[in-house]
Structures are given as C-alpha cells and as structure tokens.
Amino acid sequence: MTDPTPTTPPAPPTTPTTPTPDELNRQAWTAAGQWGLNGSMSELETLMWRSERHPELSSTITALMLLDTTPDWDRLWAAHEWAVGLVRRARERVQEPLVPVGPPVWVTDPSFRLEDHLRRTRLDPAGGDLTAVLAHAERFALAPLDRARPLWEAVLVEGLADGRAAYLLKLHHSVTDGLGGVQLLSLVQSRTRDHTPDKPAGGAPDPGTGRRNPAVLTSRQLAARLGQAPDLLWRSLRFGGTVLSDPLRAGSDAVRFTASLRRMLPPPPAPPSPLFTRRTGRSWRFGVVECEFRRLRAAAKAAGGSVNDAYVAALLGGLRRYHERHDTPLESLPMAMPVSLRRGDDPMGGNKFAGALLAGPIGVRDPVERIAIIRGTVLTLRTEPALDSFGLLAPWVNMLPSGVGAAAWRLGATADLSASNVPGLPYRSFLAGARVDRIFAFGPLPGVAIMVAMTTHAGACCIGFTIDGDAVEDVSVLMDSFAEGLEEVLDIV
C-alpha cells in the first residue's frame, strides 16, 4: 500500500492591513490627479453658474481653518504651487458657448498666476480673537470671485492672539460641493508638522483645454444634442411599448412619480417663519458652535438616530428657543437638506447632490422624539422617485435665458433653514507646519435665511452658520439659542 500523494497545505488566511498614513496620502494624491478630467460642467453646475446673482443668489463656499500658530509662508506658497499643479481645475476658468445649447466648458487659464489667488493679510489691530476672524471672513466671502479666472481664492490671516493664525479658502459651488471642498483642503494638509517629501508632481496643462472658439463650441454642442435624438426616440418607443404591454404598471409608476415630484418641488411643506421675512441675501453674518463628535454620536445612538439626525434636531431645538424668545411659537418651518448622491467609486470634486425640502418639527420639545421624527423623514426622502427632480429640469432650464434659471433657483430656495453635513478628516492635520485645530464651512444664502454646515475634524464637530443679517437683527441671540439647542441634544446621555 503506497502513501497518498502529499498535498500542499492551504495558505493561512490573510488579514487586511491598515493603510499607513503615507499610503493614504498617495491614494488621495492619485485621486486628486483625476479631478478636472471632465472638461464640461454638469447640468446642475451649469444652473448654479448661470443663475448666480451675487450676493443674493451667490454660489460661494467659504472654509475657515483655525491654526495653532502662523504657518511658514514659503511652505504654504509651495504647497499651493504643488496643489494647483496636481489639480487641473485649480488653474482652469469657465468658457461659455456662443449660444447656451450646452453646458460651459473648463479651459486652461493662460494668464494664471498664483499671486492672483493666494494672499496674506494681518488683523488690525493685532491680537484679534475669533470674532475678529469671523468679521474678516464675512467680508472675504462677500467679495465676488472673478468669473474670468479660476474660481477660487485663499488668504492667510495673521495677527491673532498668542501668535495664532487663520486660513480662508473661497470656492465657487460649480467647482465642487462641500465634500469635494474638504477633499481639496486635505491636499494642502499633512499629518505632521514636518515637510512631506517626494510628493508626486502635477502634469503640465493640457494644450487641448485652452480657449475654444465660442461659435465652434456651440456648433459641436448642437450636433451633440441632435445626436442624442435617436436615443431619446428609442427610449420613448420603449416606454410606449411598456404602456401598451402593462398599462396598469406604467400608470402606477407615473402616478407615484408625479406625487413624489409634488413633494419635492415648491411650495414648501410648512409655512415660513414670520421672523425671517426680511431676507435680502446681501448681509452675511457668520457664527460658529462646536462639540465633541463622540458626544453627538452617543446622543444620536441613544435616541435611535444617526449623527446627522441629532445634528438637525439640535438646530431645530435652537430655532424653537429663538422663536419662543420672540413670543412666536411654531410647530414647524420649511427647511432644505442636501442629500448626497455620491458613490464610493466617484472621482474627487464635482457636485453630486440633490436638494430636498421638509417640514422641520421645531415644536417638538423632546429631543429624542425630534430625532425620531427627523430619522423617519430623512429615510423617506431618500426613497423618493423624484429626489433629483431639480437635476431632471436643469438641462431644459439651462437652454433658456439665465434670468429664467435665476427665477427657478429663487423658487427652489423657499426654506428658512438649510442644513448640510460634510464628513471631514478624522485625524489631526497640519498646514505648512501649523496644526489645524478647527475647520468651519460657510455656505452661501441662495434665498434662505440661515445656512448651516457641519464639518467634522479630528474628533470635533465644527458647525458654521451663514445668517442673513437683514432677516435676523439679533444674531447673537440666535447663536445663543443654537448653542442651547445643541446642549439639549448632547444632554440626552
């Protein structure tokens, strides 16, 4: 009897290794190099670009970094030189076709100079605090971007107390949404105070992305539109075939989508607050509150909701207190909430979101019950067939005069409050040798009275408020109310 044929023992199972900080950095750098390869705006970006009427219908996003010390200017400049070499969009401007039959395209700015986009200034008098920084940020954000240049500006603000500093970055929303802005900011940050060597260099500008003849661009876009006609006809025929073969199902789908469309589009789902009727969008006031991320997450978990649910509940609790202080109690008010449409494999940058309107339950006093109501509402919104209804209408609106787009944008901005939540960096970071202690984001005021954005950074929830100063005269009272609303939610546990 012979021995059985020996077999090779199976290899032990492999345990996935956690990427090192250097590996994570290089993954981000590789992804950033792909930003801007799409040479034209999306339809939603086109609508934001063409309908902008600054500042009333502005599309300016502003980020504020608070630093523990003043960063080295030469290192900061070099970091921006590297970043604009890596990210093509940072050195591109907008080129419109002669006739708006298609979206604008991005072209290389032949006169790009970093000094036109990156500056430094100093608080006067020196030794300023956060209030002084926010006042400077308001003025910086309200100054319109030059639409003939790449759509970003940055400024280093020196002269804060104890040698600290601040960094401000301003972007046009057609470049990217909030998450893309965080990704862009992460490129000029590192995980240590020391210089990061051996970073990949950006490529030279693509000569094919230079200025295009507007008439030629129009003719090509018109040809592309006509080329889409057979596909549209084929889809129409397929839909017609579905109607004939299964009319009940086709009719049910149409009724369901129409009902969803009615819920997604104005009029708002709740009457507006009588306290915010004097909004103009011309006076921007910034405010901030913050808390530990672990506390907000624990409160959300105890109430059976997500961190976003707890965050929105805190905002609504603050608005309840503000209205009670003005003897104007409300059961609900209209609010807007961007819903991210990004997938895990989507490239950096761009805009991937849809806007949803809902009735904010500010009259619910119990924060746990308020979180539960918000949880159910948000889960329902994510299943709406017409969630991206504005995106469906955008291609048609974009072919009309820009004033029509502006009117449509005003029609969609019927909320008193807009609240967004953007995940940030979970680890401590540094900017040219200075530690980044906080990152606050401030959105524009496209017709709303209060725009709020929460960004998480190194274990902190940083909540930035853009407030219409004409609609809210007692901004300090409003901010105190929001701080109390946040504490109300945190005290759940």
Side-chain angles (χ1 to χ4, degrees), residues 97 99-103 214-229 399:
V99 180
V101 294
V216 173
L217 180 60
T218 298
S219 64
R220 289 178 178 175
Q221 290 184 338
L222 182 59
R225 292 285 191 192
L226 294 175
Q228 294 168 356
M399 288 188 286

Side-chain angles (χ1 to χ4, degrees), residues 351-441:
N351 287 270
K352 302 277 186 177
F353 72 93
L357 287 171
L358 61 147
I362 71 170
V364 178
R365 303 188 67 85
D366 182 0
V368 174
E369 183 182 353
R370 200 159 61 242
I371 289 174
I373 293 173
I374 294 166
R375 182 66 174 166
T377 302
V378 172
L379 290 177
T380 301
L381 284 173
R382 292 183 180 276
T383 63
E384 287 282 6
L387 176 61
D388 193 21
S389 55
F390 220 66
L392 296 174
L393 298 175
W396 306 102
V397 175
N398 287 335
M399 288 188 286
L400 300 174
S402 64
V404 176
W409 205 247
R410 285 189 181 93
L411 187 64
T414 54
D416 290 331
L417 169 72
S418 180
S420 60
N421 175 14
V422 182
L425 301 180
Y427 51 81
R428 179 177 293 180
S429 63
F430 298 85
L431 179 68
R435 187 182 68 231
V436 179
D437 289 334
R438 296 289 185 270
I439 299 181
F440 294 98

Side-chain angles (χ1 to χ4, degrees), residues 6-308:
T7 59
T8 304
T14 59
T15 303
T17 59
T18 303
T20 66
D22 284 344
E23 290 171 339
L24 290 174
N25 282 339
R26 295 188 183 283
Q27 290 173 8
W29 296 336
T30 300
Q34 305 301 308
W35 194 347
L37 295 185
N38 181 10
S40 64
M41 287 187 183
S42 70
E43 297 289 356
L44 176 60
E45 292 161 353
T46 300
L47 184 59
M48 289 190 289
W49 168 255
R50 290 180 179 162
S51 64
E52 182 176 47
R53 302 294 187 271
H54 189 85
E56 300 95 326
L57 290 180
S58 174
S59 291
T60 298
I61 305 172
T62 306
L64 165 64
M65 286 184 180
L66 297 179
L67 311 173
D68 73 331
T69 188
T70 302
D72 181 82
W73 176 249
D74 290 338
R75 277 184 61 183
L76 186 64
W77 185 274
H80 283 76
E81 282 186 321
W82 170 79
V84 300
L86 184 68
V87 180
R88 175 183 297 178
R89 187 69 79 242
R91 55 183 189 270
E92 291 181 329
R93 63 176 183 83
V94 178
Q95 171 76 60
E96 283 277 14
L98 185 63
V99 180
V101 294
V105 296
W106 297 96
V107 297
T108 301
D109 182 5
S111 60
F112 175 79
R113 300 186 310 165
L114 186 56
E115 53 264 38
D116 293 328
H117 299 268
L118 176 62
R119 304 177 182 88
R120 63 197 299 192
T121 189
R122 190 171 186 84
L123 291 181
D124 185 23
D129 58 6
L130 179 58
T131 301
V133 173
L134 290 177
H136 185 89
E138 291 166 0
R139 296 190 295 271
F140 176 69
L142 268 173
L145 289 160
D146 186 343
R147 291 168 68 91
R149 297 183 185 274
L151 299 174
W152 68 275
E153 291 180 15
V155 60
L156 174 66
V157 182
E158 304 177 50
L160 277 69
D162 302 322
R164 293 177 293 113
Y167 172 88
L168 289 163
L169 175 67
K170 181 168 61 177
L171 286 167
H172 197 278
H173 214 321
S174 62
V175 175
T176 187
D177 55 20
L179 183 56
V182 169
Q183 294 170 337
L184 186 62
L185 275 176
S186 69
L187 295 176
V188 292
Q189 299 175 66
S190 63
R191 297 193 181 213
T192 66
R193 289 192 190 271
D194 299 329
H195 172 67
T196 304
D198 304 324
K199 293 190 291 188
D206 184 349
T209 61
R211 185 181 186 279
R212 306 184 194 182
N213 185 295
V216 173
L217 180 60
T218 298
S219 64
R220 289 178 178 175
Q221 290 184 338
L222 182 59
R225 292 285 191 192
L226 294 175
Q228 294 168 356
D231 180 62
L232 181 62
L233 177 61
W234 172 244
R235 282 186 289 172
S236 300
L237 292 173
R238 287 181 60 189
F239 176 73
T242 302
V243 171
L244 293 175
S245 63
D246 195 350
L248 291 178
R249 178 184 174 186
S252 176
D253 289 345
V255 170
R256 183 167 177 259
F257 184 83
T258 301
S260 177
L261 192 64
R262 190 164 56 246
R263 291 189 294 269
M264 291 295 97
L265 296 177
S273 167
L275 300 183
F276 302 141
T277 57
R278 293 184 60 249
R279 67 187 76 170
T280 66
R282 292 180 171 275
S283 173
W284 292 10
R285 299 291 304 279
F286 288 172
V288 299
V289 297
E290 61 180 83
C291 68
E292 294 180 82
F293 177 74
R294 63 175 183 83
R295 290 190 64 195
L296 188 62
R297 181 176 56 189
K301 184 177 180 180
S306 67
V307 169
N308 187 71

